[in-house]
Amino acid sequence: MRILVVEDEPVLSDQVSASLRFAGYAVDVARDGPQAYALGDVNAYDAVILDLGLPGMDGLTVLGRWRRAGRAMPVLILTARDSWHDKVEGIDAGADDYLAKPFRMEELLARVRAIVRRAAGRATPELVCGPVCLDTRSGRVSCAGLPVALTAHEHRLLAYLMHHADRVVSRSELVEHIYAEEADRDSNTVEVFVSRLRRKLGAAIITTVRGTGYRLECPS
Amino acid sequence: VKAPASLRVRLLAAGVLWGCGALAAGSAVAAILVRRHLGGDLAGSPPTPRGSIDRWFLAHATLTIWTLGSAAAGLLAFGLSAMRGSVAALDRLRARMVPLRSGLATRLTGEYPTEIQPLVDDLNVLLAARDEAVTRAREEAGTLAHALKTPLSAIANEVSAAHGAPGGKAAGEAWHVVIGEQVRRMQGTVGVHLARARAAAGGRVGARADVRSTLTALRRALARLHPDREISVAGDGNGASPAFRGDRQDLEEMLGNLLDNACEWSTSRVQVSAILTGDRLLLDVDDDGPGLDSAARRQVLAHGTRLGADAPGAGLGLAIVRDVAALYGGGLTLAASPLGGLRARLDLPAAARGPST
């Protein structure tokens, strides 16, 4: 799960991105409008946290341009402008949720989890696939009721697969969603993570679809 | 009647007409007196030799008196109508001020006599300047809030992170509690006063907000924010939409907070209804949630201004709604809802019925 944080205030931006990283997300940061637009236009994010008062290009303009270009990732507006007039304007521009400053970090994390889940068409915060259970609130993973310890990358990869359990996910898509912009990418490492997950959760849980990618197997 | 002639011309015309009228009336009276004098002589005593002018006058007296009399009446009537024409312009001006005060118009319209028109134009310029000043004050309040809220958020996050950090609790118990509390108070103050500044600035001349279109916009946003809640509007679609005599953003703020609160607490349904009684607009927001007992209802409104750490937004939201409604000479009351939860009732001044939209 990969997230773009757009916030021009450096301290707040650091706090938000640190909390998101701590919660297991890969995080990219943009400090102004044009940079935010460019990042969101080329990368596949699972969610965007967008401030409205940005240097260079206003947040609503950035959002409007993404939507017109067909970028459909869930966007949470995080702003000091908390009037309902602004909220209506933000939602009309294509935002999925609206959180006003001051906010509590737990609230922000809960909202991000909710919009990611909603965008993937999942209704409950607990994602279940066969014996494997991922609680998106705590980030805990269990297999047949027993807790399983995962590294950050394994966790992101599993979370992405569980949010999209109904389809085949390509290797490049996984790379896009588990690494932040500045990280060293190597699509071969995806294979390494998948094999480690198989070892921890059972070999049958992830099947390789030859030439296409991976699919989570959820016996119902 | 339509042509707004100069007031001076009209008054001058009235003066001249009345002068002439008075002259004609005077002449008619003089003619009557002269004829009576001559006629009396004629009736009482034997005919005496008279001048040819007397004879001519007696022969034409009746016609002369009638002509002078009707000329006098006509001139006086025309003078009066010219006079009234100029006063009518002032009456028209007064009549146009009424919708301005009741929120149906934002500018004085119509054509006026050349002496009054500059006054009307000046008044319109003043109204425009006031609107602009209000908008600017609003923008600046928003900018100030933006400028304060972001650093306050950063401080609050830092404090709560330190609180959660190992060792931070024991070592920094005192300072993080103090800073956390002070930051919360500052955040609360910024929120409440920003809303008040917005509302106080909203006492704009001729402001009017259509309830139905405001609700449509809010429902669009709330459908996104609370996708599993159903918000219905009672009595939708019959007749003209009621309107609030005040600023649209303030109505949005009050209804938005109440609806958001209702969605937060409801099980599945939220209902809004607007009732127009005389010059008051009653807006009910009902939910089917757990509701509040009467003691809790009083408490929520009494302590609403305080930021409850465990009830994010809820207490503060209601306090803002109450304060904004009070600035408009209205109020917020809480009661039990027929849907089973809480009913929040806004009592606001209604705008007079405008042109049907």
Side-chain angles (χ1 to χ4, degrees), chain A residues 7-9 11-12 15-16 51-53 67 79-88 91-92 94-98 100-107 111 118, chain B residues 139 142-143 145-147 149-158 160 187 191 194 198 217-218 220-222 224-225 227 249 252-253 256-257 260 309-310 312:
Chain A
E7 167 68 60
D8 61 323
E9 214 288 313
V11 175
L12 197 66
Q15 288 171 342
V16 169
D51 185 17
L52 289 188
R67 294 306 191 222
T79 176
R81 303 204 163 258
D82 64 344
S83 79
W84 278 91
H85 184 74
D86 291 315
K87 282 183 200 177
V88 169
I91 300 280
D92 282 351
D96 295 83
D97 202 352
Y98 199 104
K101 296 172 188 170
F103 62 99
R104 286 185 299 159
M105 204 55 88
E106 305 89 71
E107 174 83 10
R111 300 279 191 107
R118 244 191 274 155
Chain B
E139 276 164 8
T143 311
H146 186 69
K149 280 178 177 178
T150 304
L152 279 175
S153 286
I155 296 173
N157 289 335
E158 207 61 30
S160 81
Q187 290 172 339
L194 176 60
R198 272 201 293 247
L218 285 173
R220 216 165 44 228
L222 285 159
R224 228 5 126 69
L225 300 176
Q249 284 200 29
E252 273 179 341
E253 205 55 30
N257 278 328
D260 193 39
D310 299 324

Side-chain angles (χ1 to χ4, degrees), chain B residues 50-110:
Chain B
R50 296 168 192 281
S52 59
I53 293 176
D54 287 356
R55 275 201 304 279
W56 180 88
F57 175 79
L58 280 172
H60 296 89
T62 314
L63 182 66
T64 310
I65 288 166
W66 277 109
T67 308
L68 282 171
S70 47
L75 287 167
L76 287 175
F78 275 122
L80 194 69
S81 99
M83 194 71 167
R84 282 175 70 173
S86 39
V87 177
L90 291 174
D91 286 343
R92 207 160 60 243
L93 183 62
R94 261 198 65 196
R96 292 261 161 79
M97 295 285 260
V98 173
L100 207 66
R101 216 175 314 135
S102 66
L104 275 172
T106 53
R107 297 283 182 275
L108 280 171
T109 53

